[in-house]
Amino acid sequence: MSIYRAHVKDIEVILFVINKSNSEAYRKIIPREYFKEPVFTHEELSQKFREMTFFIYELEDESVGVAALQVEGEGLGSVRFVYVLPEHQRKGVGTSLVTYIEAEAGRLGLKTLRVPHVDMNAHWAISFYTKLGYRAVDKRKKPWGYDFFFEKSL
Ligand SMILES: CC(C)(COP(=O)(O)OP(=O)(O)OC[C@H]1O[C@@H](n2cnc3c(N)ncnc32)[C@H](O)[C@@H]1OP(=O)(O)O)[C@@H](O)C(=O)NCCC(=O)NCCS
């Protein structure tokens, strides 16, 4: 396996991983009127790609997970778009990606990492970030409940 920094040519495969993983996970918890599928278009993801650095977890030539690091400002960054293909979940892929991003953030001199928008009903994501040492520091209302904002000091 390897984790590497994505290039523009990887946008299509990142889009595939995000849209497949998102559909399977969030269809169950987002009311139909708010559920978007696919969650991103190629153009939307291309815009995100300009704002942050994406990483890909590759297993035997297959891209099975993605995650991004966004530098927000002085000492602060965000972990964004952590998505693992459903059939590869629960095998440590997500943990490896976030651990890799934390090391990268440390190299960049970031002191704090945030995870914005963790849906209150996404129990898997709440367990995932809690196990990695993130703590909920804020919550914000949205039409179908609220999102947690997690944070960790590096
Ligand atoms: C969240 C996600 C990225 C985790 O990736 P993963 O590779 O499956 O995670 P790991 O195997 O590294 O799991 C680490 C820990 O997270 C927690 N966890 C992961 N999936 C879980 C689940 N379905 N239910 C409960 N806890 C879960 C567990 O504590 C797990 O440790 P354990 O397996 O020893 O019990 C993955 O579930 C996913 O892609 N979900 C859909 C997209 C998403 O919600 N992303 C987060 C957006 S904020």
Side-chain angles (χ1 to χ4, degrees):
M1 77 82 164
S2 68
I3 294 176
Y4 64 90
R5 184 183 173 145
H7 301 283
V8 173
K9 66 172 173 46
D10 300 314
I11 288 179
E12 207 54 50
V13 76
I14 296 171
L15 193 62
F16 174 78
V17 172
I18 291 179
N19 282 335
K20 185 165 183 202
S21 175
N22 189 83
S23 170
E24 174 120 347
Y26 288 93
R27 168 187 307 287
K28 294 175 267 187
I29 62 168
I30 296 181
R32 193 182 304 189
E33 63 268 36
Y34 297 111
F35 184 67
K36 196 173 159 227
E37 185 166 55
V39 66
F40 287 122
T41 63
H42 187 95
E43 289 66 34
E44 287 164 340
L45 188 65
S46 299
Q47 178 58 36
K48 301 286 178 204
F49 205 84
R50 288 190 278 276
E51 297 166 3
M52 58 195 82
T53 306
F54 278 83
F55 297 91
I56 297 179
Y57 186 111
E58 195 175 65
L59 187 66
E60 293 167 0
D61 288 338
E62 187 190 2
S63 300
V64 301
V66 303
L69 170 63
Q70 183 166 26
V71 176
E72 305 277 4
E74 189 76 5
L76 179 67
S78 293
V79 179
R80 310 287 310 274
F81 305 112
V82 186
Y83 283 97
V84 176
L85 285 177
E87 59 273 31
H88 290 279
Q89 289 177 8
R90 224 59 202 265
K91 297 176 190 162
V93 174
T95 297
S96 298
L97 278 163
V98 173
T99 304
Y100 191 94
I101 279 181
E102 289 173 354
E104 189 67 16
R107 274 193 287 278
L108 294 173
L110 304 183
K111 303 284 180 237
T112 306
L113 277 178
R114 282 189 185 157
V115 187
H117 305 297
V118 180
D119 192 295
M120 68 180 201
N121 292 320
H123 60 87
W124 57 88
I126 293 170
S127 304
F128 175 70
Y129 289 115
T130 302
K131 190 171 182 191
L132 281 162
Y134 291 76
R135 295 290 169 257
V137 292
D138 196 6
K139 59 183 189 180
R140 293 199 197 153
K141 268 182 72 64
K142 61 183 179 181
W144 63 95
Y146 55 84
D147 279 340
F148 284 116
F149 283 58
F150 279 80
E151 199 171 282
K152 178 176 177 176
S153 298
L154 296 177

